[in-house]
Amino acid sequence: MTLVCAWAAEPVNINTASAEEIAESLKGVGLNKAEAIVNYRNENGSFKHVDELVNVKGIGIRTVDINRDYILLNDSELAASK
């Protein structure tokens, strides 16, 4: 028997979303990591590029790459195009 896991996330704006919204939308990012993203954003200002997420403790480039197509830096533009 094969178990198939469907994961269909909606893009999320990492500069405005709550920790809960980030955790729900990004694969491999639980509530603790999502809270770290929000805390980093609050202390350092808005993310200018998706790769800045690696500056957040617990977020590596692999997590960023997996989620690149779901990360927004503003409400209309996917970060992958940056």
Side-chain angles (χ1 to χ4, degrees):
M1 182 175 166
T2 303
L3 179 62
V4 176
C5 181
W7 178 68
E10 292 293 318
V12 63
N13 183 334
I14 59 170
N15 286 320
T16 60
S18 68
E20 292 79 10
E21 292 168 326
I22 293 170
E24 287 175 9
S25 296
L26 300 183
K27 186 174 186 179
V29 177
L31 190 55
N32 286 340
K33 287 183 185 177
E35 287 172 347
I37 291 170
V38 171
N39 289 337
Y40 183 91
R41 179 182 75 205
N42 289 340
E43 292 172 10
N44 298 283
S46 295
F47 291 93
K48 306 267 187 288
H49 192 279
V50 64
D51 291 333
E52 287 181 63
L53 280 170
V54 299
N55 296 326
V56 178
K57 185 176 180 172
I59 304 291
I61 192 66
R62 179 158 164 71
T63 301
V64 173
D65 286 342
I66 289 169
N67 292 292
R68 197 171 293 273
D69 291 337
Y70 301 98
I71 298 171
L72 297 170
L73 296 175
N74 60 50
D75 287 329
S76 61
E77 189 174 341
L78 279 174
S81 64
K82 290 249 177 217

